[in-house]
């Protein structure tokens, strides 16, 4: 991973944080996508303490909003001439149904739409870095869930775990 540029969503905690730290330890320069400035800055401090020669960075935005994902992709593309790896890792599960300002169910927006929009927005940087990789993290939560193309927005019979599982099932279909 020496000299590679890795963009990772959800790199401020959990699996994403561990992945970012391990990849940085292997010589990759990490570009975090975060929503919270306090957690983003703390993650940067941790990354920089491991290897002070790499210029890790962070970009902030709301993964539930299409306009924010487009803005973030453009911002990252303007700052990075190449992206060797894009790790779409951020995800969320909610106990009740919420819709975004784009009129999407919130879990679907964060766990699926954000991955698609960010990847599409960074495609030129990924092509430039060929053979680049896009990694969409998934979960075994998809097991036992059936994708309902007639209700992708989960308007009927909302269950947080079921909707989360469906969103991860969609992500697996792209891997």
């Amino acid at each position: 991973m020496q000299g590679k540029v890795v963009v990772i969503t959800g790199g401020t905690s959990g699996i994403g944080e561990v992945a970012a730290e391990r990849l940085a330890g292997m010589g990759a320069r990490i570009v975090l996508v975060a929503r919270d400035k306090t957690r983003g800055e703390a993650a940067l401090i941790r990354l920089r303490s491991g290897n002070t020669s790499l210029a890790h960075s962070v970009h902030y935005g709301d993964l539930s909003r299409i306009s924010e994902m487009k803005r973030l992709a453009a911002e990252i593309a303007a700052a990075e001439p190449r992206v060797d790896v894009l790790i779409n890792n951020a995800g969320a599960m909610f106990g009740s149904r919420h819709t975004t300002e784009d009129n999407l169910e919130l879990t679907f927006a964060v766990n699926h739409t954000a991955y698609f929009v960010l990847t599409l927005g960074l495609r030129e940087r990924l092509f430039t870095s060929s053979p680049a990789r896009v990694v969409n993290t998934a979960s075994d939560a998809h097991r036992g869930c059936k994708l309902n193309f007639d209700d992708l927005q989960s308007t009927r019979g909302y269950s947080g775990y079921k909707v989360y599982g469906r969103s991860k099932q969609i992500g697996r279909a792209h891997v």
Side-chain angles (χ1 to χ4, degrees), residues 57-107:
S57 62
V58 62
H59 297 267
Y60 297 98
D62 181 348
L63 288 139
S64 73
R65 297 175 51 204
I66 292 172
S67 62
E68 282 285 290
M69 287 297 90
K70 287 180 178 180
R71 181 193 57 78
L72 270 170
E75 185 178 291
I76 293 167
E80 303 296 335
R82 64 180 297 121
V83 173
D84 298 285
V85 180
L86 169 59
I87 302 174
N88 290 309
N89 171 70
M93 181 170 61
F94 305 96
S96 59
R97 187 177 187 279
H98 301 277
T99 56
T100 67
E101 66 182 42
D102 298 312
N103 205 27
L104 297 172
E105 188 280 319
L106 186 57
T107 310

Side-chain angles (χ1 to χ4, degrees), residues 123-135:
R123 74 185 176 281
E124 288 182 27
R125 295 299 179 261
L126 291 159
F127 288 145
T128 298
S129 307
S130 184
R133 298 289 181 259
V134 176
V135 178

Side-chain angles (χ1 to χ4, degrees), residues 10-164:
T12 61
S13 65
I15 293 168
E17 178 184 11
V18 172
E21 289 174 359
R22 296 244 173 110
L23 291 166
M26 296 166 65
R29 189 166 59 78
I30 306 300
V31 178
L32 296 170
V33 174
R35 63 184 152 98
D36 181 90
K37 290 192 183 223
T38 301
R39 289 174 59 185
E41 292 303 313
L44 267 183
I45 289 168
R46 286 190 302 273
L47 288 172
R48 290 176 177 159
S49 70
N51 186 339
T52 57
S53 67
L54 295 172
H56 304 297
S57 62
V58 62
H59 297 267
Y60 297 98
D62 181 348
L63 288 139
S64 73
R65 297 175 51 204
I66 292 172
S67 62
E68 282 285 290
M69 287 297 90
K70 287 180 178 180
R71 181 193 57 78
L72 270 170
E75 185 178 291
I76 293 167
E80 303 296 335
R82 64 180 297 121
V83 173
D84 298 285
V85 180
L86 169 59
I87 302 174
N88 290 309
N89 171 70
M93 181 170 61
F94 305 96
S96 59
R97 187 177 187 279
H98 301 277
T99 56
T100 67
E101 66 182 42
D102 298 312
N103 205 27
L104 297 172
E105 188 280 319
L106 186 57
T107 310
F108 180 82
V110 172
N111 297 359
H112 180 69
T113 306
Y115 289 15
F116 181 80
V117 173
L118 189 59
T119 302
L120 189 61
L122 292 174
R123 74 185 176 281
E124 288 182 27
R125 295 299 179 261
L126 291 159
F127 288 145
T128 298
S129 307
S130 184
R133 298 289 181 259
V134 176
V135 178
N136 293 339
T137 60
S139 162
D140 279 345
H142 77 283
R143 295 190 190 281
C145 292
K146 293 187 179 187
L147 195 55
N148 182 351
F149 286 101
D150 294 325
D151 191 25
L152 286 176
Q153 296 303 310
S154 304
T155 58
R156 299 183 299 270
Y158 187 92
S159 160
Y161 187 79
K162 180 174 72 174
V163 171
Y164 176 81

